[in-house]
Amino acid sequence: MPQWIDISVQTPAHSQIGGVLTYRHVPTAENSAITEGSLVRVPLGSRDLLGVVWAIHEHPPAQLKESSVRDVSGVLEGLAPLPIAWRQLVQFAAHYYQRSVGEVAMAALPPQLRDLSAVQLARRLKKQHATAGARTETAGFATGLPLSAQQGAALAQIATQPGPFLIFGATGSGKTEVYLQAVQRQLEADPKAQALLMVPEINLTPQLQERVIARFGAEQVVSMHSGMTPAQRLQSWLGAHSGSARIVLGTRMAVFASMPHLQLIVVDEEHDPSYKQQEGARYSARDLAIYRGRLESAKVILGSATPSLESWHHSRPSAEGGRYQRLLMPERVGAGQLPFVRRVDMNNQPRKTVLSAPLLAAIQTRIERGEQSMLLLNRRGYAPVLHCADCGWKSECSHCSAFRVFHKLDRTLRCHHCGFTERVPRACPACGNADIAPLGRGTEQLEEHLAELLSSVRRPDGQAVKILRIDADSTQHKGALESQLAQVHSGEVDVLVGTQMIAKGHDFRSITLVAAINPDNALFSSDFRAPERLFALLMQAGGRAGRDARQSAQSEMWVQTFHPKHDVFAALKKHDYPAFAASQLLEREQAGLPPWSFQALLRADARSQEVAQAFLNAASQALHAQGAQDTALDALLAQVSVFPAVPMSIQRVANVERAQMLIESPSRMALQKVLAELHPVLHSQRAVPAHKGLIRWLVDVDPLAI
Ligand code: ADP
Ligand code: ZN
Ligand code: ZN
């Protein structure tokens, strides 16, 4: 009896094919029957593709001609089928984020599975068995630190309650120690149990990786992140999939790791925007972690000093409808104090001041005491724009609606959106004026400026001041970030200058002063999440100061601002996240914004802005026209607002015009259903001659940036 098998394969984006195709398999004496979840190879056109068996039927599908169904070319031997829960997770993600099952499934598997021949794969599996052997030989884990009372209370809750949990713990309150002990408890209780530990960006936190390995042993832990080679990724994946790796430590992609005995998921710094994938299926790994936990009865722990407002809202008291359990860890370990916050009113400073005199004096004092300072400026390069005062020329990018950034170190003008780079012109390209000048400041300039201002200051050992800059430019080369962070940890560096890269997660021990040089831009952004992001960034940056209790009594966080009375800074001053969150949530409730509503962004890219917008508006009209004929759809549309198409804030990138359309509803289900109805409408609109010039469209469900 032949098997009729639905198999998910990678189909081209936007193809009408839903991502599962039907194949046939005839079991024989030497060719056993195929089971659900198996990894197989199947022909598609002239190619041979990797696929995952999604469903098996006894009868040929009614709508297909039997003779047109092709045979499965082979099964990947030696690999256990993917667990049902994994397939359900993929299916849910595909559905929720409006992509094909095959695309999500293939993106969730290590790329080498697609490319390796049967022989090559067999070799990898052999190697894998060898490592797995080493794993079973290890005994016991290192003992954790004796917990503080608040850590102990949090851990006890996790042990006895179902969760999901949100640990709301100050920076340096010992959240990581709680995660590690929760993992340990789970792994010790069941010799098969596996745990998934997710972090925003592994490269930024090599320390955490070291801590996990020191605690559990290198053989127990595999990593999953985009910085790994394909061979490493396959090795890690096989370790997790076979169950021999007990811990997966990874970035957002790890939420899809195949883990047959998953029992615990930790999402560290759960507020971090990098949990949201920004291409392909635009999933939120944090939200999928919650879903996956429910699916597999695994406990989920989210943790942050500045939770996302969504998670904060979900962790309100259960009497008010909260679904997560909030665990409080307000105190820093070892009675360390949070930094004292000082706001410098830049209105009272001389014009064009970069570093106010009191801040400069404070930095100088720290250097003379042998302490470190950290200056945050969220803009890399020397200056965001180069400008001619004579004719008004500015360093626009010819391919984007954005300015090219002046990088003085290599004397280039670089577009941070499309990468277009040119040498800095000697004179104004428009009028020939030789005197073109930088406008605004980036980290390069701040570093240069500081070096001048601090040139006569000496460290306690009599040496000159050492300034280090860390940003995307300084860390391009492999290993650069690690060695730069090591210089900070060793105390070699006196002043660290950098972008948000330096604000996250690092456990710097001797920083006693943190300063935000110019955080005001974010205050007036049109994005309703901007204040939340700024507050989190500043709290996290401040959290790098005073982590050593011996010095923390004097640690300070400085904010230079033209708006010292702004709510964001007032809340920061009091380290009062709950008050800040309450006021933001109230504003959002009044405006009907998330978490009181659900959003999706429909984006179109086209040769012209008119076509991009026309395509989106036409799709909306067609959908509403359809609703007029269809009472069920009409009832759904009544619950959903579809806004007119508008240009994106950076409307042109690399000569592509971009428009977006917001779709919003108080009902997640109504929004989901409308998006599903919209899918075929978009396909038919694409074929309309007036929309010639459309390049692509994409849907972003629960977008983070509007
Ligand atoms: P968080 O993740 O909340 O920022 P960490 O877990 O990194 O905090 O802890 C901050 C510092 O305190 C680390 O250096 C850690 O080793 C130390 N620490 C955490 N828990 C304890 C404890 N119970 N006893 C002593 N030191 C601890
Ligand atoms: Zn000019
Ligand atoms: Zn550009």
Side-chain angles (χ1 to χ4, degrees), residues 26-100:
V26 186
T28 60
E30 53 283 0
N31 229 347
S32 49
I34 289 177
T35 52
E36 285 185 359
S38 296
L39 285 149
V40 294
R41 296 212 145 263
V42 293
L44 184 68
S46 59
R47 293 178 306 157
D48 189 53
L49 297 181
L50 177 70
V52 178
V53 174
W54 225 250
I56 299 176
H57 311 280
E58 284 179 10
H59 301 287
Q63 75 280 20
L64 276 183
K65 249 208 344 262
E66 240 178 86
S67 59
S68 70
V69 177
R70 299 171 78 177
D71 280 343
V72 172
S73 7
V75 178
L76 271 64
E77 298 296 340
L79 283 178
L82 288 154
I84 172 99
W86 184 88
R87 282 174 277 142
Q88 287 170 334
L89 177 70
V90 165
Q91 181 116 19
F92 170 79
H95 193 253
Y96 188 81
Y97 295 105
Q98 304 285 317
R99 308 296 291 200
S100 79

Side-chain angles (χ1 to χ4, degrees), residues 411-431:
R411 300 214 56 88
T412 56
L413 287 178
R414 272 192 246 159
C415 176
H416 289 183
H417 300 281
C418 72
F420 178 53
T421 301
E422 277 182 335
R423 286 195 59 77
V424 173
R426 283 180 194 287
C428 172
C431 74

Side-chain angles (χ1 to χ4, degrees), residues 14 74-75 329 371 373 446 464 485 564 574 581 584 607 612:
H14 295 312
V75 178
M329 294 183 27
E371 297 169 8
S373 304
L446 182 59
L485 290 175
K574 291 187 263 172
Q584 283 287 309
R607 293 280 159 233

Side-chain angles (χ1 to χ4, degrees), residues 646-666:
V646 292
M648 287 185 64
S649 61
I650 296 178
Q651 77 170 64
R652 186 168 53 102
V653 169
N655 296 318
V656 171
E657 288 285 342
R658 311 168 333 147
Q660 68 182 26
M661 178 168 188
L662 179 64
I663 309 176
E664 194 176 77
S665 174

Side-chain angles (χ1 to χ4, degrees), residues 182-240:
V183 168
Q184 182 159 358
R185 182 189 287 246
Q186 207 79 32
L187 299 196
E188 282 171 351
D190 175 349
K192 283 192 157 166
Q194 293 178 293
L196 171 60
L197 195 51
M198 287 203 284
V199 292
E201 283 159 88
I202 278 195
N203 295 331
L204 287 187
T205 47
Q207 268 181 319
L208 176 65
Q209 201 163 353
E210 286 160 22
R211 252 168 105 179
V212 175
I213 287 176
R215 186 69 53 91
F216 297 101
E219 8 22 87
Q220 305 288 342
V221 186
V222 295
S223 307
M224 283 190 190
H225 58 88
S226 58
M228 293 161 64
T229 66
Q232 289 169 330
R233 271 180 72 178
L234 179 63
Q235 226 29 52
S236 289
W237 186 85
L238 289 172

Side-chain angles (χ1 to χ4, degrees), residues 243-260:
S244 72
R246 309 281 308 278
I247 300 174
V248 172
L249 174 61
T251 53
R252 60 175 178 261
M253 65 161 70
V255 77
F256 288 112
S258 165
M259 300 175 74

